[in-house]
Amino acid sequence: SGLNMCMSGSTTSCEECLLIHPSCAWCDFGRGRTLTSRCDFIQNLQKRGCDVQFIEYPKSSISILQSRPLSSKGSGWTPYDVVQIMPQQISLSLRPGEQTWFGLQVRQVEDYPVDLYYLMDLSLSMKDDLHTIRNLGTKLAQEMGKLTSNFRLGFGSFVDKNVSPFSYTAPKYHENPCNGYKAFPNCVPTFGFRHILSLTDKVDRFNEEVQKQMVSRNRDAPEGGFDAILQAAVCKSKIGWRKEAYHLLVFATDDVPHLALDGRLGGLVQPHDGQCHLNENNEYSASNKMDYPSLALLGEKLAENNIFLIFALLSILENNFTALIPGTTVEILDQDSKNVIQLIIAAYSNIRSKVELTVWDHPEDLSLSFTATCQDGQPLPGLRKCADLKIGDTVSFQCFIVEARSCPPRGTDQTFTIKPVGFKDRLEVTVDYMCDCGCTQTAQTNSSICSSIGTYNCGTCHCEPGYLGAHCECQEGEASSMYLSACREAEGKQICSGRGECSCNQCLCYESEFGKIYGTFCECDDFSCARHKGILCSGHGECHCGECKCHAGYIGDNCNCSTETSSCISDDGQMCSGRGNCVCGRCHCTEPGAFGDTCEKCPTCPDACGTKRECIECRLFNSGRLADNQTCQRLCKDKIITVETLKTEDPGAVLCLYKTDNDCVMKFTYSEHASGQSILTALKEPECASGPDALTVLLAVVGSILLVGVVLLAAWKLVITIHDRREFARFQNARSRARYEMASNPLYKQPVSTHFVETDFNMYGKSYNGGLH
């Protein structure tokens, strides 16, 4: 816009100049220069004759303090030799307002040690599941042995708080809560959490301890599982978590856990303190003293101790815990836990297939953003996560220090940590703010340049109270016509823009309850800028002389438009699901019929059936592309209802069909509920045409051939018969005509036949042969 921010501000020192904008520089040499001309763009200062050696223009810099190379394998090394993030320590020297960035790499090494703690709900409804896992240790160790050579297993159990209304508290239930329950008359007393087996590589111990366990009974449906999770996370020494291993906490239950504030129903008003409370019997001693932990506290302690939480839930309890607690996966448990081993292996593979960065101790005055470069090599601005990785893959991230908005008090150390979720490895970042000018080290107090009543610092005089002027030559209150003319921006303009008084050739700007008035002629202020919802510069910028100077990551006249795109990335990694554009941090859907936060909902889109088909395949039949990549749980969050017969009368539902590998037809409908949830109603099984019976086909073919033969034979016989009859009729007709002709012809004479007889005349003594002569 042509605004020179460096000269428009009311800068009185080198430090103030450098805070205006990263492009501003300060010239600390030359007595004849005015106050405002010392603070300007560096090219302008050089044009006016200020040598580079006298220009204060610090630039942000990065120093790598520790950068050990990434490891390729986890076993066979000492714990501290395995490196999964590079670099490990850097130092940043930041000039406020200036952008800078640094890169880091993360690799999931092969054969990394694994600690798995199995936390099981032992309420009465889980008795069948307890029987199923009695030999879980051996089978699980065999399967995990294919993924890591260093595996340890532990076990703990929970029920609920032994207070009313969560449990049966009458005296007759103290020793046997199942007393009077005919279906299962005997069980152990109710308990909150019990740590049974510390992490060990002796998997037979796991089987032995599990076989000793018995179920208990509580009153309400929800369980006290969150109490148990927190104790398993924070009681590190008793559980036996190793620093150099992946920490997996499998939470198996058939019902939802109690949340914070539920404890008040039982008179437990003390919030959970997040500490370990296991007594000498390894039981949770504060179960009946403190409320259940909150999701926020739970997530904090899991992240603090690098624990991946695996929810093994029944399908009817499928909750979005992954969004509420970082580093969490949700897997669907069969009614009797028969699929628990496959579930754990799938969850572990899912965990190892992704890398997500978190920032700890994030300084409030620093604005950070990330760009991820995953296996396809394409940078993804706004993302700090890569998925669908293979073990051993290396991914890169760029961390942009968008700006340091201010200077902390002198001597304040600022540090923050970047670490992948669930990793022990981390990147330590130390921040040093470049807020001081080098020329302040040569400041002269009571300098003759400042009339001996001021300090000469970086080329300017800082006068004692009551004195003004470039050389402290005037006292406050002095005024003359010469001074007054120097206080007008232009002829005819008000003195000091009507917002100050002229004193000793300078404008002394009035104070305002709205903010600061400044400038050579008091022409600027920091409150007359555009607002959004009543907030100056939307709270994402600074007001400079009537214009909003937006913080990095925001644009617009009032800085209300975010350039961040992470909120526009859909679950499948596409920008606005490929159906819209990200504008000001929100998706504007351009595909007709598309809606949702990331345009992910679109029943009428041409690709709607194809997209939902993949979810039907992986969720119902554990097949298809998503099942192979272990991303079904992440991408397919729609509600799926299975039916025997599919109804298609709903006008808002789209009917989808596809052909399966065995030539059957799968049908489902896709609709959007008023609550915003996508509903998929599918047949339980694909429709397959029944195959014909072989004997029936054979008989039908033979019969058809015979029938055709008989028909042809009959037709041939009919034709011959007709032909013969016609010929016979023609013969009879010819014969009758012949008789008539013989009877009526006068020239016709009936032929005569003569016969000769040989006679023997021996009777007369001689023979005579007669003949015709």
Side-chain angles (χ1 to χ4, degrees):
S1 63
L3 175 66
N4 188 330
M5 296 182 185
C6 305
M7 298 186 66
S8 64
S10 58
T11 55
T12 60
S13 66
C14 176
E15 287 79 4
E16 291 181 1
C17 174
L18 300 184
L19 283 174
I20 293 177
H21 193 270
S23 300
C24 296
W26 178 269
C27 180
D28 63 355
F29 183 77
R31 302 182 185 179
R33 305 187 183 277
T34 62
L35 182 65
T36 54
S37 66
R38 291 183 181 274
C39 186
D40 202 344
F41 298 124
I42 186 171
Q43 59 269 26
N44 293 343
L45 293 176
Q46 289 177 334
K47 287 179 181 179
R48 293 205 295 269
C50 189
D51 293 337
V52 175
Q53 59 181 326
F54 299 116
I55 294 178
E56 294 285 344
Y57 186 60
K59 298 291 293 182
S60 298
S61 62
I62 299 174
S63 300
I64 298 178
L65 305 181
Q66 184 179 16
S67 182
R68 292 187 293 155
L70 296 172
S71 303
S72 57
K73 294 192 67 175
S75 63
W77 299 74
T78 59
Y80 299 101
D81 287 336
V82 179
V83 179
Q84 297 186 94
I85 188 172
M86 182 180 74
Q88 296 82 43
Q89 189 176 4
I90 64 174
S91 175
L92 301 179
S93 294
L94 298 181
R95 177 176 175 178
E98 186 175 17
Q99 298 187 25
T100 188
W101 67 274
F102 59 88
L104 63 149
Q105 292 182 315
V106 181
R107 176 187 295 166
Q108 297 249 32
V109 301
E110 300 178 10
D111 197 21
Y112 199 73
V114 176
D115 286 347
L116 189 149
Y117 192 78
Y118 196 89
L119 186 56
M120 185 173 182
D121 177 4
L122 285 189
S123 59
L124 188 58
S125 55
M126 293 286 286
K127 59 182 183 297
D128 294 336
D129 304 76
L130 178 61
H131 177 75
T132 303
I133 71 164
R134 292 191 185 278
N135 295 313
L136 172 67
T138 304
K139 298 177 182 178
L140 183 58
Q142 292 174 352
E143 293 299 322
M144 290 298 294
K146 301 175 183 178
L147 304 175
T148 177
S149 61
N150 195 339
F151 176 68
R152 299 199 312 168
L153 189 61
F155 182 71
S157 61
F158 66 92
V159 182
D160 207 344
K161 296 181 182 295
N162 193 15
V163 296
S164 181
F166 312 119
S167 300
Y168 294 93
T169 56
K172 66 177 182 178
Y173 297 120
H174 285 177
E175 298 299 324
N176 182 13
C178 297
N179 188 0
Y181 186 60
K182 296 181 180 179
F184 200 87
N186 296 303
C187 57
V188 299
T190 305
F191 58 93
F193 164 64
R194 182 177 294 151
H195 168 53
I196 299 170
L197 178 66
S198 298
L199 291 163
T200 177
D201 55 1
K202 297 179 175 60
V203 295
D204 292 339
R205 286 282 315 281
F206 181 91
N207 297 337
E208 294 172 4
E209 294 298 334
V210 171
Q211 291 171 8
K212 297 177 184 177
Q213 303 308 307
M214 293 181 61
V215 295
S216 184
R217 186 187 182 198
N218 62 324
R219 172 175 285 177
D220 60 347
E223 324 290 4
F226 281 177
D227 269 343
I229 292 175
L230 193 138
Q231 292 303 298
V234 299
C235 299
K236 296 180 288 186
S237 59
K238 291 201 172 186
I239 302 298
W241 297 114
R242 294 176 293 180
K243 290 183 179 181
E244 67 280 3
Y246 277 111
H247 302 159
L248 306 183
L249 178 56
V250 179
F251 178 72
T253 184
D254 65 343
D255 218 315
V256 294
H258 277 294
L259 300 174
L261 301 182
D262 286 356
R264 297 192 177 191
L265 296 173
L268 306 178
V269 297
Q270 181 181 349
H272 205 291
D273 59 5
Q275 302 299 316
C276 178
H277 294 282
L278 291 185
N279 58 22
E280 61 277 4
N281 296 322
N282 285 330
E283 292 190 356
Y284 178 39
S285 60
S287 177
N288 299 341
K289 299 177 182 179
M290 291 189 295
D291 193 6
Y292 300 97
S294 65
L295 286 173
L297 179 61
L298 206 61
E300 176 187 339
K301 295 302 178 182
L302 289 170
E304 186 178 301
N305 294 284
N306 306 320
I307 294 175
F308 290 104
L309 179 61
I310 301 173
F311 278 100
L313 305 175
L314 297 179
S315 58
I316 57 174
L317 303 176
E318 200 174 340
N319 292 317
N320 192 17
F321 287 112
T322 55
L324 300 174
I325 305 175
T328 299
T329 57
V330 178
E331 299 291 342
I332 308 305
L333 191 66
D334 287 347
Q335 290 289 341
D336 55 0
S337 297
K338 287 183 178 179
N339 67 330
V340 65
I341 294 180
Q342 297 90 333
L343 180 151
I344 293 173
I345 299 298
Y348 177 72
S349 300
N350 184 30
I351 289 170
R352 295 299 305 271
S353 70
K354 59 188 177 183
V355 171
E356 182 177 4
L357 298 183
T358 58
V359 180
W360 288 59
D361 302 324
H362 183 183
E364 294 182 358
D365 57 348
L366 281 185
S367 179
L368 306 180
S369 69
F370 291 86
T371 294
T373 302
C374 304
Q375 287 306 104
D376 57 2
Q378 297 297 321
L380 301 172
L383 285 187
R384 58 174 74 181
K385 178 179 179 181
C386 286
D388 300 331
L389 304 176
K390 297 178 181 178
I391 296 177
D393 286 348
T394 303
V395 294
S396 301
F397 297 91
Q398 288 179 310
C399 177
F400 292 88
I401 309 294
V402 179
E403 63 177 320
R405 299 177 186 144
S406 61
C407 287
R410 297 181 187 274
T412 302
D413 292 330
Q414 295 275 17
T415 60
F416 63 93
T417 301
I418 298 175
K419 65 187 295 290
V421 174
F423 283 52
K424 73 174 181 63
D425 303 74
R426 62 189 63 201
L427 168 60
E428 299 286 348
V429 182
T430 304
V431 183
D432 176 36
Y433 294 85
M434 305 174 69
C435 296
D436 295 326
C437 296
C439 56
T440 57
Q441 299 178 2
T442 59
Q444 303 174 18
T445 58
N446 298 322
S447 172
S448 59
I449 301 175
C450 303
S451 305
S452 300
I453 48 175
T455 300
Y456 188 71
N457 186 12
C458 295
T460 61
C461 286
H462 294 267
C463 305
E464 297 292 338
Y467 291 89
L468 300 172
H471 304 287
C472 305
E473 71 276 15
C474 298
Q475 286 186 304
E476 290 185 9
E478 293 182 357
S480 67
S481 59
M482 179 184 66
Y483 294 153
L484 293 177
S485 62
C487 293
R488 285 189 175 93
E489 188 174 4
E491 194 66 32
K493 291 288 186 73
Q494 287 184 299
I495 296 174
C496 298
S497 304
R499 302 199 295 180
E501 61 181 23
C502 185
S503 178
C504 195
N505 208 25
Q506 293 183 18
C507 283
L508 299 180
C509 303
Y510 297 141
E511 294 184 357
S512 172
E513 60 180 330
F514 301 108
K516 181 180 179 181
I517 300 174
Y518 60 91
T520 305
F521 308 102
C522 301
E523 73 279 12
C524 295
D525 60 59
D526 61 1
F527 52 84
S528 298
C529 290
R531 298 172 182 263
H532 178 65
K533 296 183 179 180
I535 301 176
L536 188 67
C537 298
S538 305
H540 302 303
E542 308 294 338
C543 182
H544 284 281
C545 207
E547 293 188 15
C548 286
K549 173 182 171 288
C550 301
H551 297 155
Y554 292 90
I555 58 175
D557 293 339
N558 54 10
C559 304
N560 69 325
C561 182
S562 172
T563 60
E564 181 70 32
T565 60
S566 58
S567 58
C568 297
I569 304 296
S570 57
D571 288 335
D572 60 0
Q574 296 189 74
M575 187 71 68
C576 298
S577 304
R579 299 172 180 148
N581 302 317
C582 189
V583 180
C584 297
R586 300 184 65 181
C587 282
H588 287 204
C589 304
T590 56
E591 182 80 21
F595 62 99
D597 292 340
T598 57
C599 305
E600 74 281 5
K601 303 179 186 298
C602 187
T604 60
C605 288
D607 62 341
C609 287
T611 302
K612 300 303 179 183
R613 166 188 172 174
E614 295 180 337
C615 292
I616 292 291
E617 288 177 334
C618 74
R619 287 274 295 276
L620 295 185
F621 307 110
N622 194 29
S623 61
R625 180 180 66 87
L626 299 184
D628 293 339
N629 291 333
Q630 299 294 336
T631 55
C632 185
Q633 190 66 40
R634 177 172 59 88
L635 297 182
C636 300
K637 301 177 182 178
D638 303 332
K639 182 178 181 180
I640 298 180
I641 302 173
T642 56
V643 294
E644 296 287 349
T645 304
L646 192 64
K647 298 180 180 179
T648 59
E649 292 82 3
D650 186 1
V654 178
L655 177 62
C656 300
L657 305 92
Y658 68 90
K659 193 174 184 180
T660 63
D661 294 337
N662 53 358
D663 292 333
C664 297
V665 176
M666 185 63 190
K667 297 180 180 179
F668 65 94
T669 59
Y670 168 33
S671 61
E672 295 292 340
H673 194 266
S675 63
Q677 186 177 23
S678 299
I679 307 295
L680 303 180
T681 305
L683 293 173
K684 287 185 176 180
E685 296 292 339
E687 293 181 347
C688 301
S690 57
D693 183 69
L695 180 61
T696 303
V697 172
L698 179 61
L699 293 176
V701 172
V702 173
S704 299
I705 294 174
L706 292 176
L707 179 61
V708 171
V710 170
V711 170
L712 292 175
L713 185 61
W716 177 81
K717 181 64 177 175
L718 178 62
V719 171
I720 295 299
T721 301
I722 294 173
H723 179 268
D724 288 349
R725 286 183 178 180
R726 286 179 178 175
E727 292 296 322
F728 182 74
R730 190 180 297 114
F731 170 76
Q732 289 291 89
N733 189 24
R735 184 179 180 184
S736 63
R737 286 200 306 269
R739 288 178 180 175
Y740 171 78
E741 290 173 355
M742 288 187 293
S744 59
N745 190 355
L747 299 178
Y748 180 75
K749 184 177 182 179
Q750 183 73 23
V752 177
S753 300
T754 303
H755 302 273
F756 295 93
V757 178
E758 183 179 334
T759 307
D760 190 358
F761 294 98
N762 289 332
M763 65 174 67
Y764 301 104
K766 61 179 178 181
S767 297
Y768 175 81
N769 292 328
L772 180 64
H773 299 277

